Amino acid sequence: MSIKICKICLLAAMLSFTSLLSAATTKENWNDFLHYTAIGRYELAKSKAEAIIESEPDPVEMLELTQENPRGYSILLRVYNSNEQLKDAASSIIDIIEEGRYIKRTDPEIIRQEIKRLSTTIRGRIKAEKRLRNSGEFAVPYMLDAIGDESRKDEMPYITAALGKMGRDAVRPLCAALQMKDVAVKSEAVRALGSIGYSEALPYLKHVYETAETEELKKLAAKNLQKIKGSALQVSASDLFFALGEDYYYHKDSLKPNAEFDFANVWFWDKTQKRLSREKVERGYFFELMCMRSCEWSLKADPETGEAIALWLDGFFKAQQTEIAMPEYFGDGHADAMTYAVTAGPEYLHQALSRAIKDKNNYITLNLVEALAASSGEASLLESFGTSQPLVDALEYDNTAVQLSAAIALGGANPTRDFVGSSLIIERLSTAIMQESAEELGEDKAAEYADRAFDVLDQLCSARNKIVDVSKAQKPLIRVIRSDSDKYRIEAAQVLAYLKTAEAQKSIANVALSEDFDKSVRMSVFDSLINSAKLNGSKLTDEQIDKLYSMTASRAVDPELRESAASAYGSLNLPSEKVKTLILDQARS
């Protein structure tokens, strides 16, 4: 038995020695790396860095080495930023150090031990408070758990005192915890937020004040609101949440997530588990997600806060603009921002659009204009927000895609009353059909806008719209009908048929009569010529009429084309002399 115990002791000693040897090797390699870097021996420095990485050191140990030598850590950062030879190795070491920082700050067992140590000696309490502050938001759930534990009542004064000293990093989880039903623990969270003193807590404290389960809690919320900002008592929780949402939307510095990590945390109150939970999210859209949450709380506090809906839409589009996959807590099948936008209705879309235009955010502005185009009619598209009409303003916005989308939206609504800027609709639609912005937008996008613009022009013509003067697009339409595109040649002819000018009809006839174009194109354009003649009478030259007659009379012409020409000829309602000649020319006697 004793031999077996000795073998176990020997094995333990060996493991301990190996651990010490590994630690010594890591420290030596670290110091050697710094030394060779400092004297410019980068090949040797690189070999030492690679030795550190290959040894898979304890991340916490690596962190402690850098904390013992802050200057060394500065050297590491410097070579990462400026030395291509050492950059990759330095990056890997930094990742190890950051992992150590994360472990040290978030390890539940370490946090629980420090919470216990709050109730020991004065010296132990001071150290524990410092380490809990260093753990920041990660410590808050465990501190609240301890406060709610009936068996730890003796520790509560020390824990609650420490909670009020946690600093800004603890504000978000403490605010989320105010959703709990335990009034006693909630009261301590309220006190802590008042002691920490950051304005981010104001809307949450005001919401507690407005919905307090007891009079004592209401008074406590009022007292701690006044500690931070007394005037907040006179403002509704909904308005305070909206103001916080705007601060997040515009990335207010005081709301930044902890800079030490490459991620951020969004905190929730888990009603089932009755404790805080967190979701790791990308820093790239943390502000936008928190803006959306603040707007959601604004609506919970007052469902009539329409401006919160508009800001929520702006925030969601801004989050999408980062092109980062939405966070896991959105869940499977969560709709995108456009789905919510087209559902929201014009009132909120105009408010959101007004902000996007003011901020000069092309992505959000374009999406909101498209949402209005998809979901709104004339009355709502021309709605005013304040002293402006956001969609009309979009016609002059400094972005071609926005201008074109706004023109398509307004033109497609078939406006029946004039408004300042209405003349720009045709100007923008003309730009679209000529595809002048193909280089800027890309050929596919420019073609898509041209298709949509032709649809709108056709609708305006069919409706005989009196506000949007399609005749002002005549020159661009004639340029298009003479272009190299058969598709747009046909579409231009369809719109030109509605215009009353001789030039419009003659340009249609020139294409229909020309042998340079495919049969299918000519037949479609003949249809437009027929429509033009029916609407406006004959405006062709004698030469064009003679050519048309010649096609009708010729047996050499394709029968289908000849039939189309004959139909066009008949629609011109010319004197009967030509028809008589046509009949007699074919007569046999």
Side-chain angles (χ1 to χ4, degrees):
M1 183 73 177
S2 59
I3 293 172
K4 187 176 181 181
I5 292 172
C6 287
K7 283 183 178 179
I8 292 170
C9 293
L10 180 60
L11 180 61
M14 288 174 67
L15 288 170
S16 177
F17 176 74
T18 302
S19 177
L20 288 170
L21 183 62
S22 172
T25 303
T26 301
K27 186 171 185 178
E28 287 169 4
N29 284 333
W30 169 246
N31 289 332
D32 287 346
F33 165 75
L34 295 176
H35 170 70
Y36 289 128
T37 300
I39 64 174
R41 301 289 299 277
Y42 298 133
E43 279 298 331
L44 290 172
K46 185 178 179 182
S47 69
K48 293 298 178 181
E50 289 172 347
I52 292 171
I53 297 162
E54 288 167 7
S55 69
E56 298 182 355
D58 180 344
V60 174
E61 177 197 335
M62 277 303 306
L63 172 66
E64 289 171 349
L65 286 174
T66 61
Q67 289 174 334
E68 290 169 10
N69 183 1
R71 184 172 172 274
Y73 187 63
S74 297
I75 291 172
L76 178 67
L77 293 177
R78 188 171 69 247
V79 298
Y80 169 73
N81 289 317
S82 61
N83 189 307
E84 287 300 318
Q85 193 173 354
L86 295 174
K87 185 179 182 68
D88 290 344
S91 174
S92 296
I93 293 175
I94 289 170
D95 287 344
I96 294 168
I97 293 166
E98 290 307 308
E99 186 183 351
R101 199 186 308 278
Y102 177 74
I103 291 169
K104 198 166 183 180
R105 291 188 65 171
T106 65
D107 184 271
E109 195 50 46
I110 293 174
I111 291 170
R112 290 190 186 100
Q113 288 173 7
E114 296 302 336
I115 294 171
K116 278 282 187 187
R117 201 142 71 108
L118 289 169
S119 306
T120 56
T121 63
I122 293 175
R123 186 176 177 183
R125 182 161 65 250
I126 293 170
K127 282 188 176 181
E129 286 179 349
K130 182 179 179 181
R131 288 174 180 170
L132 288 169
R133 273 198 306 275
N134 189 49
S135 290
E137 59 187 326
F138 299 101
V140 173
Y142 301 99
M143 296 176 81
L144 292 177
D145 288 347
I147 292 170
D149 187 341
E150 289 291 322
S151 67
R152 301 178 68 174
K153 283 186 177 179
D154 293 346
E155 299 175 55
M156 196 170 121
Y158 305 106
I159 301 171
T160 55
L163 193 61
K165 300 174 185 177
M166 288 293 288
R168 192 187 80 180
D169 208 26
V171 172
R172 276 185 279 266
L174 282 171
C175 288
L178 294 179
Q179 297 173 67
M180 71 173 70
K181 296 298 182 185
D182 188 322
V183 174
V185 182
K186 184 191 287 192
S187 297
E188 296 306 330
V190 167
R191 289 190 180 95
L193 287 167
S195 297
I196 293 169
Y198 276 89
S199 59
E200 183 180 357
L202 290 173
Y204 295 93
L205 290 173
K206 185 61 191 295
H207 192 252
V208 171
Y209 175 84
E210 291 177 358
T211 60
E213 295 93 334
T214 66
E215 190 61 31
E216 290 77 10
L217 182 59
K218 184 173 183 175
K219 289 177 181 177
L220 183 65
K223 178 181 176 182
N224 284 280
L225 269 167
Q226 289 173 321
K227 275 187 178 182
I228 303 171
K229 188 177 182 180
S231 60
L233 267 173
Q234 312 308 316
V235 184
S236 71
S238 181
D239 287 345
L240 289 169
F241 276 120
F242 178 77
L244 178 61
E246 285 196 309
D247 286 343
Y248 271 117
Y249 186 80
Y250 292 112
H251 292 207
K252 189 175 180 180
D253 278 348
S254 64
L255 297 174
K256 284 181 179 177
N258 193 306
E260 292 186 18
F261 304 117
D262 62 359
F263 63 88
N265 293 315
V266 176
W267 290 91
F268 299 89
W269 180 255
D270 187 325
K271 293 179 181 178
T272 304
Q273 299 295 322
K274 296 182 180 178
R275 74 186 309 269
L276 284 167
S277 67
R278 69 182 177 91
E279 292 275 353
K280 282 174 62 174
V281 301
E282 298 279 353
R283 293 178 69 89
Y285 55 26
F286 169 76
F287 281 105
E288 286 68 41
L289 296 179
M290 290 303 296
C291 165
M292 293 169 69
R293 292 201 73 205
S294 299
C295 291
E296 289 158 12
W297 274 105
S298 180
L299 289 167
K300 287 176 185 176
D302 181 2
E304 300 300 315
T305 313
E307 59 185 355
I309 296 174
L311 181 57
W312 187 91
L313 291 171
D314 281 325
F316 198 173
F317 276 120
K318 201 174 179 185
Q320 275 190 186
Q321 189 178 3
T322 64
E323 297 185 347
I324 302 170
M326 288 299 111
E328 288 187 13
Y329 71 78
F330 270 37
D332 293 335
H334 192 286
D336 60 10
M338 183 58 79
T339 302
Y340 286 96
V342 296
T343 308
E347 178 186 351
Y348 308 121
L349 288 175
H350 277 293
Q351 291 181 44
L353 178 59
S354 180
R355 181 186 300 278
I357 289 174
K358 178 184 172 185
D359 294 344
K360 295 182 170 58
N361 187 306
N362 295 348
Y363 177 88
I364 301 175
T365 300
L366 180 59
N367 275 283
L368 289 168
V369 168
E370 292 291 355
L372 279 162
S375 63
S376 305
E378 177 199 359
S380 52
L381 288 179
L382 294 174
E383 190 173 297
S384 296
F385 179 67
T387 58
S388 67
Q389 291 175 292
L391 190 56
V392 176
D393 292 343
L395 286 169
E396 297 188 84
Y397 184 79
D398 188 22
N399 178 272
T400 302
V402 170
Q403 291 176 2
L404 301 184
S405 291
I408 287 166
L410 288 164
N414 190 30
T416 56
R417 55 192 172 96
D418 201 9
F419 56 91
V420 175
S422 60
S423 61
L424 287 172
I425 295 175
I426 282 297
E427 189 176 321
R428 303 300 184 233
L429 293 177
S430 297
T431 298
I433 64 172
M434 291 189 292
Q435 300 186 52
E436 291 177 337
S437 305
E439 188 173 336
E440 177 186 348
L441 301 175
E443 290 186 5
D444 290 345
K445 198 67 181 176
E448 180 189 323
Y449 273 117
D451 290 340
R452 295 171 67 192
F454 271 118
D455 286 343
V456 170
L457 288 169
D458 197 54
Q459 290 170 32
L460 289 167
C461 290
S462 299
R464 307 290 195 277
N465 190 278
K466 295 179 180 179
I467 303 302
V468 184
D469 187 357
V470 178
S471 68
K472 290 183 178 178
Q474 178 174 282
K475 285 184 178 180
L477 285 164
I478 291 174
R479 281 178 60 185
V480 173
I481 204 172
R482 293 171 179 166
S483 70
D484 296 330
S485 169
D486 287 343
K487 174 184 177 182
Y488 294 120
R489 188 176 287 116
I490 292 169
E491 294 198 38
Q494 289 170 350
V495 178
L496 283 166
Y498 288 95
L499 305 190
K500 296 179 179 180
T501 66
E503 191 174 1
Q505 192 177 94
K506 287 188 288 186
S507 66
I508 299 171
N510 284 337
V511 173
L513 293 167
S514 175
E515 295 180 2
D516 294 336
F517 304 114
D518 291 340
K519 172 185 168 182
S520 60
V521 174
R522 295 177 70 188
M523 289 182 66
S524 293
V525 176
F526 265 126
D527 288 341
S528 294
L529 181 58
I530 292 167
N531 194 30
S532 174
K534 287 178 178 178
L535 293 171
N536 307 305
S538 175
K539 297 182 181 295
L540 300 184
T541 64
D542 287 342
E543 182 183 359
Q544 287 176 316
I545 292 171
D546 287 341
K547 283 185 179 180
L548 193 57
Y549 174 76
S550 296
M551 281 189 70
T552 304
S554 174
R555 297 185 181 187
V557 173
D558 178 276
E560 288 183 313
L561 273 175
R562 187 180 180 188
E563 185 180 341
S564 291
S567 297
Y569 190 89
S571 67
L572 293 172
N573 196 26
L574 296 168
S576 61
E577 180 65 28
K578 289 284 187 183
V579 180
K580 181 188 75 172
T581 304
L582 184 64
I583 293 171
L584 292 178
D585 282 348
Q586 62 83 48
R588 296 178 67 184
S589 58

